[in-house]
Amino acid sequence: MKPLAHSTAALLLACALGPALAQAPAPADGHDSHHPAAAPAAQGATDNPSADQSELSEGEITRWDPRTLKVTLRHGEIKNLDMPPMTMVFRVNDASMLAPFQPGDKVRFRVERRSTGYFITRIEAAR
C-alpha cells in the first residue's frame, strides 16, 4: 500500500473500532503509565492519615474555577505521585479551600490520586 492508502485504512479502522476502543482499558503507555500503581481511594474520601503531609509540592495557580471545583497548576515534581513537572488540572472538594488564592499565586500543595481524578488535599501560600 502507498502511504495515503495506509492513512485511509487506519482512519476506516479507527471509525469502525471507535466505540469498542472507547470502552477498552487504557493502554500501558498512556498518561498513567508513568505513575506507580496504587489502589484508588473511594470517591469523596478524606486524606490518608498515613500520608506524609510534610511533603508538599510547589506550583503556581494559572486558572481557578470555583463553579467546577477545578484549578490549573503549573507545578514542579510531585514526589508522592512520581509525577514530573507540568501544567495540569486538579480538583478540590470544597471551593473555600482555594478562596484566598487567585491566578498567579505561588502555592505549596498536596495532591492525591483517587478513582475520580487528582484531588488537592492541602494547599497553602508559598513562602
Side-chain angles (χ1 to χ4, degrees):
M1 281 188 191
K2 295 184 179 181
L4 183 57
H6 283 281
S7 297
T8 303
L11 180 60
L12 289 173
L13 185 60
C15 289
L17 295 177
L21 291 174
Q23 296 176 3
D29 62 344
H31 175 85
D32 289 335
S33 67
H34 65 270
H35 301 289
Q43 182 176 356
T46 58
D47 296 351
N48 178 355
S50 64
D52 180 9
Q53 289 295 319
S54 65
E55 188 176 297
L56 299 178
S57 302
E58 294 188 7
E60 177 183 346
I61 296 175
T62 61
R63 183 175 179 184
W64 159 224
D65 186 350
R67 293 175 303 113
T68 62
L69 300 177
K70 293 182 180 178
V71 60
T72 304
L73 293 176
R74 181 180 312 121
H75 64 80
E77 180 182 10
I78 300 177
K79 291 181 182 181
N80 66 303
L81 296 175
D82 194 27
M83 185 181 291
M86 67 178 83
T87 299
M88 189 171 165
V89 176
F90 297 98
R91 299 179 72 189
V92 294
N93 286 326
D94 184 0
S96 66
M97 179 182 250
L98 289 168
F101 301 106
Q102 59 186 344
D105 286 349
K106 305 275 192 222
V107 294
R108 291 174 25 99
F109 64 97
R110 172 80 180 182
V111 65
E112 297 291 335
R113 182 177 179 193
R114 298 185 182 157
S115 62
T116 56
Y118 293 94
F119 281 79
I120 294 177
T121 59
R122 179 178 168 190
I123 190 164
E124 63 186 43
R127 296 179 186 146

